[in-house]
Each structure stands twice: as structure tokens, then as C-alpha cells.
Amino acid sequence: MIRNLYRFTRPVSTVDVLFVVGMPRLRREMANIRLEQAQYGDIFVVQASESESSGQSNVTYTDNGKAYLAFKTVYEMAQSGAGRSYDYVFKTNNDTFVHYANLAAYLGELTAKASGKASGKASGKASATNMFIVGQPSQSKTQPKTQSQSQPSKDGVMYGLSWDLVQWIATSPDAQTRMQGDDEKQMAAWLAASGRPIETVDSGRLVAAHPQSARRGSEDEEYREGVIGVVQCRELGQQMDAARHYYGRWLDGDGGTGGLDGTPDCGMAFGRTL
């Protein structure tokens, strides 16, 4: 279902959507993945096991290297000519509904601001640099983000990096030594190790929690217009519920039909502003 929604609703010219999958445990699972990849061309498998979780509450997700290898693979594909470079790379989990038209517009605004700030450039587009974009609806919409807040949380988040940070992660030995660990702290460790003046952009106001999520104290009780994502869609039906809110006419039969397929573990959106 997720792929079918994205294929019909994303702006094709500005956003690519790829699904990142860890090494399957069974051969028949790999066969299914290869067949799906041959049909759609939007999956890549990295040499890491899927993330693990522990505990019944305050679950800790351990990244076994999948996120690092995903960033590294995307960068190496661009360098070899097998893929293309981007202005931004976003990572989401499989409980997130992404509104790609709004995301593309938002990234275009960030790039325009970066172009305006670029010194010595009277005209032309300048890509954003050293930029970490985090959207997490549980964070305060008014309190400025501190360095300790600049790490993604397991509790409903989508985050993105400017391309130069993707390059650093892909080529830095420091990042490689931190490729495994608590998913909640991994990105913060990478950004700190880079030694760069990171510009953290809080896009929390553009990320909503699903109205039926288990989040406590969320400011998001209903769907809001203009969001780039809806997180904590714990059930597949909740993603469809979000999709019907934003694309109701199409899903109700006015503009096409879609089928159902499996739900990959992790999705990445690659934004290229034109």
C-alpha cells in the first residue's frame, strides 16, 4: 500500500523514494525482495540485520548499521554514476505517512533561504550545507532547540540531512566506528563527530502525530494542513486514514486505483530541488 500511495502522490521530478531493507534471514525472503526490486527498482538491501527492539515500554531500538550503510550506499551510487546526488536525504520509519508534495515545497524553501544567505553569490542557487532537519511533534513548537535536543527520538520522528553531511557520513572513519548502537543517539553522535557548525532546523510544526496514536501530551489532536508527514501510524489502516484525509477524492475513485503490497521496514526520501 505504501508504495502505491507514493507512486501516485509524490512529485516525480523532485523526489525519489527508496526502501531500505536489512539482510533477510531466509533465502525465500531474499527471492521475494529480488523479484520486487526487479519490478519496481526502488529497493536496496544493505549488509546489516534489521533493527532490534527490547522492553515493553520505553522501547530502545538498536541500529545494527542499516542507517549508516543506507547513507553510504546512496552516496557511492551517486559517485559511481549509478544514482544521482541530492540536496537532501530524509529517513523515515514504516509508521510514517509522508506528504511528498509538501515536503518538496518545504525543501525548496530551505534551499531558497540557503541561497539568500550564501556569501559572495549575487544570483543562482546555493545548496544548503551542514543542515540537520528534524520533525518531531512531541517537541515544543516555541522553545528553541538546544544541542541536546538535536537528536532524533524513537517516538515518532522524520529527519533529513543536507547532501554534504551525507557525504561526510559515507566517507568518514569516525562515522563508520559509530555505525551500530542506540538508534536514538546515533545521529547525534555522527553530527558531533563531524566537528561542523550544524544548523538544526526544527520542522516539528510540519510533522503531526496520528490522531489515534498513543502519544501522550501531543499537540496534534486532528490532522493539520500543510504537514510534511504524519508519524505514529502504528497500523497500516492508519496510514490509509491519513492518505484519505489528504488525497480523499483520488482514493475514493476519482483519479485512479491502487493495490496492496508488503510494508518495508524503512523508507528514505531523497529530495532534489530544481
Side-chain angles (χ1 to χ4, degrees), residues 24-264:
R25 297 180 180 180
L26 302 177
R27 287 188 176 182
R28 65 174 178 269
E29 293 177 348
M30 176 60 83
N32 289 335
I33 291 172
R34 288 186 179 277
L35 289 172
E36 194 171 348
Q37 166 64 7
Q39 180 177 0
Y40 297 104
D42 58 4
I43 300 174
F44 62 85
V45 180
V46 295
Q47 298 292 321
S49 60
E50 292 291 349
S51 301
E52 300 174 353
S53 61
S54 60
Q56 300 301 314
S57 61
N58 297 322
V59 178
T60 297
Y61 292 89
T62 300
D63 186 338
N64 294 316
K66 191 169 74 169
Y68 166 79
L69 292 172
F71 288 122
K72 182 179 177 65
T73 300
V74 170
Y75 176 74
E76 291 179 344
M77 288 173 59
Q79 292 298 105
S80 67
R84 61 179 183 177
S85 61
Y86 299 90
D87 290 330
Y88 308 93
V89 176
F90 261 77
K91 176 184 179 295
T92 70
N93 294 322
N94 64 350
D95 65 350
T96 302
F97 170 79
V98 182
H99 194 302
Y100 281 101
N102 289 345
L103 176 61
Y106 175 61
L107 296 181
E109 293 175 1
L110 291 181
T111 300
K113 291 179 181 178
S115 179
K117 292 179 181 179
S119 61
K121 291 183 178 290
S123 62
K125 182 176 78 69
S127 297
T129 58
N130 299 325
M131 184 174 290
F132 173 56
I133 309 162
V134 59
Q136 188 175 340
S138 62
Q139 295 175 343
S140 170
K141 309 299 188 296
T142 58
Q143 180 181 358
K145 186 182 296 297
T146 64
Q147 179 64 30
S148 62
Q149 292 173 306
S150 63
Q151 64 183 39
S153 168
K154 60 185 178 295
D155 191 23
V157 67
M158 54 187 299
Y159 65 84
L161 300 170
S162 54
W163 183 249
D164 62 310
L165 291 179
V166 175
Q167 178 182 7
W168 182 86
I169 291 172
T171 59
S172 170
D174 288 335
Q176 186 173 11
T177 61
R178 294 172 170 85
M179 64 182 292
Q180 298 183 3
D182 188 323
D183 182 62
E184 187 175 352
K185 300 177 181 179
Q186 185 182 56
M187 180 58 69
W190 285 341
L191 297 180
S194 72
R196 300 184 176 200
I198 304 298
E199 178 183 358
T200 300
V201 178
D202 183 0
S203 59
R205 63 184 176 82
L206 298 177
V207 177
H210 190 277
Q212 297 177 0
S213 71
R215 183 186 300 281
R216 296 292 182 263
S218 172
E219 299 178 19
D220 305 295
E221 298 179 355
E222 302 293 340
Y223 289 119
R224 291 181 285 108
E225 300 307 313
V227 300
I228 61 177
V230 179
V231 299
Q232 288 204 326
C233 300
R234 298 303 191 193
E235 300 176 2
L236 197 60
Q238 291 181 342
Q239 290 216 27
M240 177 62 76
D241 181 52
R244 290 192 76 255
H245 176 81
Y246 295 106
Y247 299 102
R249 292 186 60 191
W250 171 74
L251 289 172
D252 287 338
D254 183 6
T257 60
L260 297 176
D261 54 35
T263 304

Side-chain angles (χ1 to χ4, degrees), residues 7-34:
R7 290 178 71 193
F8 285 101
T9 61
R10 69 182 177 90
V12 177
S13 63
T14 57
V15 177
D16 290 341
V17 182
L18 297 179
F19 298 98
V20 183
V21 181
M23 289 296 296
R25 297 180 180 180
L26 302 177
R27 287 188 176 182
R28 65 174 178 269
E29 293 177 348
M30 176 60 83
N32 289 335
I33 291 172
R34 288 186 179 277

